[in-house]
Amino acid sequence: MNTQSYIASGVLEAYALGKLSEAEKMDVERLVAIYPELKAYLDRLNEQSKGEVRGGMDLKEALSKIEESERDAFIRVVEDSPNIQIKRMNTTSRWPLILVLLLITSLAMNVFFYGRMKTSQAKIKEVGAQNSEMAYKIESELEEIDHLKSKMAHFLNTNNLHVRMSGSDLSPAAYANVFWDKNTKAVFLSADNLPKPPKGHQYQLWAIEEGKAPVDAGVIEYSPWIQQLKTIEGTVKTFAVTLEKEGGNAVASTDQTYVIGNLENY
């Protein structure tokens, strides 16, 4: 048995004050008879109870003060001996233990909910990424639809003369479409399948009349959208697209012709 723990429990003080039940008193008397350390401590308590303690207080008053200022001093129970069972004193407050349990519970719940929050945040980010990807796809499809609608409008416009330009030996798979308004003479181009121009270069459209040098019809932005270029007058027979330096050239680089097409019945 750990006699020091037993002494620290305050049971002997409670015995000296007569606050134990008969069964508890019998346990104390039995242990005091077995352990000299307990008997000596109880004897000192009995001696002190006859005189002054702590600056003039008798033992009962001193213990009363201890109960008020240190309310957990008498709740310790000796647990290392199966033969000893000490009841908690009724005057002992359970609040310190309750507060500790509440603190532990609060910390555990904080950890639990923090983990749930992190999991939820990860799911939100995942859903957000999926939604962003879906929104991008929808936007791209809507743009494609708008492009097709615009292109179809030019095909259906009876004022337009249409020229499909096919790929040359430089890019056999390339093609583009030109729409030339007979009334306004405005030229529109759809760069449907031109390879991306190298850095520092740009495609340029040329209008060609029979027996004359190609006329600049405008530089082309690398974009799937239909572009309005320059206004072209005259009896154009052919349209062609060449690769030029960025900003275009005044004279066509005919050896860099990528697509070309003839205007029929005009």
Side-chain angles (χ1 to χ4, degrees):
M1 173 183 172
N2 189 333
T3 57
Q4 293 301 317
S5 296
Y6 188 84
I7 291 171
S9 71
V11 176
L12 294 177
E13 284 84 350
Y15 177 89
L17 291 173
K19 292 187 175 183
L20 299 181
S21 66
E22 287 300 320
E24 291 171 339
K25 287 170 63 177
M26 291 177 63
D27 278 335
V28 171
E29 291 168 358
R30 181 177 59 81
L31 293 172
V32 167
I34 297 173
Y35 297 97
E37 298 92 334
L38 301 183
K39 185 178 185 305
Y41 186 83
L42 185 59
D43 289 342
R44 287 197 299 273
L45 289 178
N46 290 331
E47 290 176 0
Q48 290 173 354
S49 66
K50 299 175 183 178
E52 300 278 324
V53 295
R54 297 192 181 181
M57 293 184 187
D58 60 29
L59 179 59
K60 184 174 182 179
E61 184 181 358
L63 292 176
S64 176
K65 294 297 183 182
I66 291 174
E67 288 178 357
E68 293 175 0
S69 61
E70 301 175 358
R71 301 182 66 87
D72 60 342
F74 300 101
I75 67 170
R76 300 176 187 174
V77 178
V78 179
E79 296 178 345
D80 54 355
S81 174
N83 298 321
I84 300 175
Q85 295 182 355
I86 305 297
K87 292 183 178 179
R88 293 171 182 258
M89 297 175 64
N90 294 334
T91 58
T92 300
S93 172
R94 293 185 174 87
W95 282 112
L97 179 60
I98 293 173
L99 290 175
V100 171
L101 292 176
L102 287 175
L103 177 61
I104 293 173
T105 303
S106 176
L107 290 174
M109 293 188 69
N110 285 340
V111 171
F112 172 76
F113 284 113
Y114 178 76
R116 291 288 298 272
M117 181 188 70
K118 297 297 288 185
T119 302
S120 298
Q121 287 178 341
K123 289 182 178 179
I124 290 172
K125 288 182 179 179
E126 181 181 354
V127 172
Q130 292 174 351
N131 288 342
S132 297
E133 183 179 358
M134 181 64 68
Y136 176 78
K137 289 181 179 179
I138 292 174
E139 184 178 359
S140 298
E141 290 176 359
L142 289 175
E143 287 183 354
E144 179 66 18
I145 292 172
D146 288 342
H147 169 63
L148 292 175
K149 287 170 63 178
S150 176
K151 188 174 180 180
M152 184 60 64
H154 282 281
F155 271 111
L156 296 176
N157 188 347
T158 57
N159 291 328
N160 283 342
L161 297 173
H162 169 238
V163 178
R164 177 181 170 86
M165 296 180 290
S166 301
S168 67
D169 292 339
L170 291 177
S171 183
Y175 66 89
N177 287 279
V178 170
F179 304 93
W180 187 25
D181 192 305
K182 292 182 293 185
N183 297 330
T184 66
K185 304 300 182 181
V187 175
F188 300 86
L189 180 135
S190 176
D192 299 284
N193 193 35
L194 290 173
K196 187 175 182 178
K199 186 177 181 180
H201 292 76
Q202 195 169 10
Y203 289 114
Q204 188 169 355
L205 178 67
W206 302 91
I208 304 170
E209 293 187 48
E210 188 174 353
K212 295 183 178 180
V215 176
D216 172 28
V219 292
I220 303 167
E221 298 294 332
Y222 188 71
S223 167
W225 291 95
I226 291 181
Q227 305 168 50
Q228 182 173 352
L229 301 180
K230 293 185 177 182
T231 298
I232 298 297
E233 301 285 350
T235 55
V236 176
K237 295 297 182 182
T238 303
F239 283 100
V241 172
T242 62
L243 183 65
E244 306 291 348
K245 66 180 181 180
E246 191 171 1
N249 273 330
V251 179
S253 301
T254 55
D255 60 334
Q256 291 297 310
T257 299
Y258 272 71
V259 290
I260 188 169
N262 296 322
L263 193 65
E264 302 292 341
N265 301 322
Y266 178 74

